[in-house]
Amino acid sequence: MVLSCGATLFGLLWLVWILFTTLTNGFQALGTALFTQMTPPPGSPGGLANAFYGSALMSLIALVIGTPIGLMAGVWLAEFARHTRLGTAVRFINDILLSAPSIVLGLFVYTAFILPVSALTNHRVGFSALAGALTLALLVIPVVVRTTDEMLQLQPSTMREAALALGVPQWKLTLQIVLRAARAGVVTGVLLALARITGETAPLLFTAFGNQFWSSDILKPMASVPVVIFQYAMSPFDDWHALAWAGALVLTMFVLMLSLISRLILLRDRSN
């Protein structure tokens, strides 16, 4: 017990240290300008408004693309292919995709999407927010598949047997009974997927690339908070370092908020 508690405290020490460093360095640059002004040149005041907009837009598109695919795949695995060889193979492949480095997915989208589209459009369309959103969607899908599959499998089989005994069709049983009973876990899975893609940097370097100016065209390069943090943290300018710390603090608080919301949803579902 002493060794276990010591190992836990050792791990928590580094977590607290990271959070404390992020808070102390990021709080200094917090202000209205951070959310209202665009990324500045060196030595000029500015903020991360265009980066926040780009991250929010690409994350939203990724959720719109990835959530339905992951949800339908998870339902199919849990309700129609639970004990089949194909279902086992799909779960295995999904686990590989779930643990795959995000930079590999970014390179895949760069090769399979950006290069062909650039060649077809005579280099008018290349790096873009759409490509970044597609990469993030590939990260959303396996998380939603895994959580949906597991949440549906946790539902008691007696629920399915009772509904089928009453003559309820399989599709109505799945959509209106089983999926509704597991909705808290499914929503939690979507929030966890959003939390994962929020801080992804490597895949966006090969897809969305970045933009110093405000851009709402999803077919053009677009700024994102993780990429800006990476670029500014590597720079020699103190004002950029301050913005990088502030962006990291905002991302950390956002992920923390998503984690708390997912916990509250699960606790509320268990209490009901």
Side-chain angles (χ1 to χ4, degrees):
M1 181 63 70
V2 171
L3 292 176
S4 299
C5 293
T8 302
L9 293 176
F10 181 76
L12 291 176
L13 172 64
W14 301 106
L15 177 61
V16 172
W17 192 356
I18 292 172
L19 291 177
F20 177 77
T21 305
T22 305
L23 285 172
T24 53
N25 289 279
F27 190 77
Q28 300 175 1
L30 285 179
T32 56
L34 183 69
F35 304 96
T36 58
Q37 298 183 16
M38 293 189 297
T39 49
S44 300
L48 302 175
N50 54 329
F52 286 127
Y53 172 79
S55 290
L57 180 61
M58 286 186 283
S59 298
L60 179 61
I61 296 175
L63 287 179
V64 171
I65 296 173
T67 301
I69 297 175
L71 184 62
M72 289 186 289
V75 169
W76 178 78
L77 286 174
E79 298 298 315
F80 301 97
R82 181 178 300 189
H83 303 294
T84 63
R85 292 183 179 180
L86 181 59
T88 302
V90 171
R91 287 191 182 91
F92 178 72
I93 295 173
N94 185 76
D95 290 341
I96 294 176
L97 185 61
L98 185 64
S99 58
S102 59
I103 192 172
V104 176
L105 300 178
L107 288 172
F108 169 75
V109 173
Y110 175 78
T111 305
F113 179 78
I114 293 180
L115 292 181
V117 171
S118 178
L120 290 174
T121 59
N122 196 21
H123 304 289
R124 289 191 300 271
V125 178
F127 297 105
S128 63
L130 180 60
L134 290 176
T135 308
L136 297 180
L138 293 179
L139 297 170
V140 169
I141 291 174
V143 177
V144 177
V145 170
R146 183 69 175 271
T147 54
T148 303
D149 182 22
E150 292 184 352
M151 291 300 104
L152 292 181
Q153 290 194 44
L154 289 176
Q155 305 308 311
S157 58
T158 53
M159 179 190 302
R160 298 176 176 85
E161 294 171 357
L164 293 174
L166 294 174
V168 178
Q170 179 66 43
W171 67 269
K172 186 174 291 187
L173 162 66
T174 302
L175 294 179
Q176 298 185 4
I177 299 177
V178 180
L179 193 58
R180 180 177 295 180
R183 65 182 180 272
V186 173
V187 173
T188 300
V190 175
L191 292 178
L192 291 176
L194 177 60
R196 182 188 178 186
I197 65 176
T198 298
E200 287 293 341
T201 305
L204 297 181
L205 291 173
F206 296 95
T207 52
F209 192 65
N211 196 336
Q212 287 292 112
F213 306 98
W214 185 278
S215 175
S216 58
D217 189 354
I218 62 173
L219 298 180
K220 298 295 182 181
M222 186 174 290
S224 60
V225 179
V227 173
V228 171
I229 292 175
F230 171 76
Q231 294 172 342
Y232 282 15
M234 299 291 290
S235 70
F237 308 111
D238 292 335
D239 51 346
W240 279 13
H241 291 167
L243 287 176
W245 279 112
L249 177 60
V250 173
L251 283 185
T252 303
M253 293 297 102
F254 180 71
V255 173
L256 177 62
M257 181 185 67
L258 291 178
S259 300
L260 292 176
I261 292 174
S262 62
R263 294 282 183 177
L264 291 175
I265 292 175
L266 288 177
L267 290 175
R268 182 180 178 182
D269 182 69
R270 290 175 182 174
S271 63
N272 292 334

